Every structure is written in C-alpha cells, then in structure tokens.
Amino acid sequence: MFICPSILSANPTKLGDELISVEKAGADSIHWDVMDGTFVDAITFGHHIVAAHRKLSHLRFDVHLMVENPDRHLENFAQAGADVIIVHAEACWHLHRTLGDIKSLGKKAGVALNPATSIDDIAYCADLLDMVTVMTVNPGRAGQIFIEFQLKKIVELKKNLPPSVEICVDGGINDATIANCLQCGATSFVSGSCIFKSTDYSEAIKKLRKSIFS
Ligand code: DX5
Ligand code: ZN
C-alpha cells in the first residue's frame, strides 16, 4: 500500500525541506496538486516548481492536474519529472486521446473522478489506464471531510478494472477513513493535512499504515 503525501498542505515557504522530510518519514510518492483557478477556484503551482524539486527526491512524483484542458500542459509536466500524470475526466474533451498522449510521453496515465462522476465515463479508456483516482472530496482544497458514499465507487472500480490498475483515493484520508478505503479495494492513499498538520511526519505515516490493520 502506497502513502502519497500531498505537498499542497506542506509549509509553502520551505517546500524542499518538507519534501525531504516526508521522504525520510516513509512516504511512497509525492502528490502535487496543480490548480488553475478555472477547473477549481484556487491557483497553486506549475511545472517550474515541480521541476525545481525533482532532484531533491527519488520518490515517484504524481502530478494531479486540476486544470481545464490539461493537454496544453502534459509535455511541460513530463519534462519537469512527473512519473504519473493524472487528469480529470471532467476536464478533458477527448479523454482517450489525452491518456494516450501521456503514455506517449513515457509517463503513467491516471484519471481522477470527481465525486459526481460515474465509473462509466472511463469504461472505454481502461486499456490506457495505470491509475484511477477516486476523489473522496470535491477537488480544490485540502482539509475537507471524506465523502463516505464514494466507497461504493472504489468497490465498482475494483470489480471492473484489471488488477494492474492502481486505485488511488484522494481527499479526507486519515486514521479514521483509510481502512474502509483499503477494504473496498484502494491501493494508494493521498493524504495532505493529516500528515503535514501533524508534528511528526514519520509517526503520522506509521499511524496511517497501522490504522489499516486495526
Ligand atoms: C484536493 C486535492 C487533495 C488534497 C488532499 O483537491 O486533490 O490532494 O490535497 O488534502 P486532504 O488530505 O487534507 O484532504
Ligand atoms: Zn490531489
């Protein structure tokens, strides 16, 4: 099981140190929440920030593009050092083509589904998918409440996708919500505030792993 701290909740005045700290604390990948102020209200960071941090870490970089028409940015984020590029099904005019483009850039292709989006929207893209991210909050900010009803979507995905596809959950993941996600079939877990608002990142990550077995 993969724990992916979301850098969105890190201290923005020392992102590099934060990244090094979560890597030492046992993170499995780094989740970069890119927001454009259109698909979601907030604006965060672009590919220059991702590129500037690439050499600080050996971890997998997962870039979650909460942006309209992500096709314009794929090449930049690929060059910046993303390993997985996640686009929103709701933000793509031609999702199958976009996922193919990500693969052609030599990157893993992920698609995120908003809480209101059905798994039917990706049924005919399964051949191109490396990861599906189930949004367990509405995208746009950290620290929101986990939406229980999305657990059903994880179960449906588990049933319908090839086992090689990573099922990731994003939003409101903490000690109280992670176990149910795992039981339903999730294999990777994005966590922002639960990790970065703690005083000890290593303890926070250990606690997440342990909650799965309690
Ligand atoms: C939400 C982002 C999440 C967010 C998670 O729009 O995609 O990755 O950072 O933050 P928490 O874990 O605090 O819900
Ligand atoms: Zn995210």
Side-chain angles (χ1 to χ4, degrees), residues 111-127:
V111 65
L113 303 176
N114 276 343
T117 304
S118 159
I119 74 159
D120 294 345
D121 289 27
I122 55 166
Y124 292 97
C125 295
D127 54 330

Side-chain angles (χ1 to χ4, degrees), residues 6 8 31 33 64 66 135 139-143 170-172 190-193:
S6 162
L8 181 65
H31 184 89
D33 281 312
H64 178 190
M66 283 164 276
M135 294 305 300
R141 58 197 161 84
D170 185 4
V190 176
S191 183
S193 37

Side-chain angles (χ1 to χ4, degrees), residues 19 32 45-57 61 63 76-82:
L19 194 154
W32 293 90
F45 31 71
H47 61 96
H48 292 299
I49 298 289
V50 174
H53 290 83
R54 183 60 278 189
K55 50 190 166 308
L56 296 181
S57 170
F61 273 14
V63 173
N76 283 337
F77 280 102
Q79 278 170 11

